[in-house]
Amino acid sequence: MTEQSAVFVIDDDPSICASLESLLGSEGHDVHVFGTAEAFSAAERPDLPACMVLDVRLRRESGLEVQRELGRRGIDLPVVFITGHGDVPMSVAAMKAGAIEFLLKPFRDQDLLDAVNKGIAIDRSRRERAARMAELRDRFSALTPREREIMPLVAGGLLNKQIAGNLQLSEVTVKVHRAQIMQKLQARSLPDLVRIADRLADDTPRA
């Protein structure tokens, strides 16, 4: 693979772990195997696009419980479930909880590789979106309080004269603030600013 990626395997069968480590490692993934969810939680994980391969039936807990705990902890990893004892209700529950694939042992190597590659692609896209959003938040933080007040009015389509009247400012002042807003947010046009405002609004936590 041309880009680095990681795969976390949680399975309490050492032979399965060894087999998956060899298979996934041969594809260039940075593979980390764990016998328990606790071992995974305690480990330092590389900051790479990643996917998890998770056994549904672990000795100490259900893989579905592990998946739910990841969600509660804000660990957003695509999950590929593997099991030798799967049934329809279990697979439905896993997929509803966000798993990207549910494979029954013995599965074809290529099916697992395809699922893992899909998961890594999903995580890579998520990380890229998060990076772009963090950059946008940094740009927004550079706005002054007055610029933050004016920005939604500009994005809402109000003219400088209307904004000046609403905020009891001169048109010249509004024009200067408007130019600063466009420059700081790197908005090339009004539609571009509207899209930026929408993205920032969507990123704001709801009360």
Side-chain angles (χ1 to χ4, degrees), residues 169-187:
L169 300 171
S170 70
E171 284 189 59
V172 172
T173 298
V174 172
K175 185 177 180 180
V176 170
H177 283 310
R178 183 175 187 140
Q180 286 294 311
I181 292 167
M182 299 293 283
Q183 179 182 3
K184 290 179 181 180
L185 294 179
Q186 298 179 22

